[in-house]
Amino acid sequence: KLFYSHSTLLGVMFKVSTKGDYGLLLMQALAEHEGGRYRSLKEISKHKRLSLPYLSQIALPLKSAGLIESKEGLGGGYRLIRAPEKISLIEILETLEGEIAPVRCMEAKACACESGCSVRNTWDEARHLLKNFLQSKTLRDVMQTSSSPITFTS
């Protein structure tokens, strides 16, 4: 899940699990394979240096969600169902990670402290901003920025 980490030792606040990270890398690899041809997980595993058994586990929910399709046999593998610019990062991450929740209490329908909580609205706003950002980014965006570093201006 995308979650809030209370660990300040690493300075990490929001975190995507390995499953979400590998899922984005898998989808990027499929997006880079032009012409809608199928690409084997073995090839992707070798090229991206990712665990083949783990990629196999990740491919199943992506397939169930209608983001990728598979073909068995010679020339088989996986491919995107839609164009990279039609697949948002939020679709991929929520398929693999579940709903975005910056703090644990936002995962549940009700929180024990909800009535007296003074920060819930702030966390809800943070979740909304993050979700909108990830909704606005597509696989095509990832492909276009993968070769050049992202720079931030203040």
Side-chain angles (χ1 to χ4, degrees):
K1 292 194 179 226
L2 290 171
F3 63 96
Y4 173 73
S5 172
H6 291 284
S7 169
T8 55
L9 295 175
L10 299 176
V12 174
M13 189 167 151
F14 291 99
K15 185 176 179 182
V16 175
S17 74
T18 305
K19 188 177 190 180
D21 186 29
Y22 280 25
L24 288 174
L25 291 170
L26 169 60
M27 294 294 284
Q28 178 187 14
L30 295 175
E32 291 169 346
H33 208 59
E34 294 299 323
R37 291 177 293 152
Y38 290 91
R39 191 165 184 197
S40 75
L41 292 182
K42 186 176 181 180
E43 175 189 353
I44 294 169
S45 170
K46 192 177 287 188
H47 181 258
K48 297 280 187 183
R49 297 183 187 144
L50 304 173
S51 162
L52 178 57
Y54 200 37
L55 281 182
S56 298
Q57 290 176 18
I58 291 168
L60 294 175
L62 293 171
K63 183 178 175 186
S64 295
L67 296 172
I68 61 175
E69 64 184 356
S70 65
K71 176 183 169 187
E72 293 185 26
L74 187 62
Y78 290 87
R79 70 178 180 186
L80 299 179
I81 291 180
R82 292 181 271 150
E85 59 274 9
K86 301 285 186 189
I87 301 174
S88 70
L89 299 187
I90 194 73
E91 285 182 90
I92 300 164
L93 290 172
E94 286 190 340
T95 294
L96 297 171
E97 305 274 357
E99 184 73 24
I100 291 175
V103 288
R104 188 176 13 174
C105 66
M106 296 191 88
E107 291 177 13
K109 294 289 181 203
C111 174
C113 302
E114 188 172 359
S115 62
C117 183
S118 61
V119 294
R120 183 170 175 88
N121 287 340
T122 301
W123 287 123
D124 197 39
E125 186 178 349
R127 174 175 54 178
H128 182 73
L129 290 170
L130 180 58
K131 195 168 184 169
N132 283 342
F133 173 78
L134 293 170
Q135 180 68 42
S136 74
K137 297 297 177 185
T138 67
L139 278 178
R140 177 70 66 206
D141 296 326
V142 171
M143 292 168 59
Q144 291 171 345
T145 60
S146 65
S147 60
S148 58
I150 298 173
T151 56
F152 295 96
T153 57
S154 46

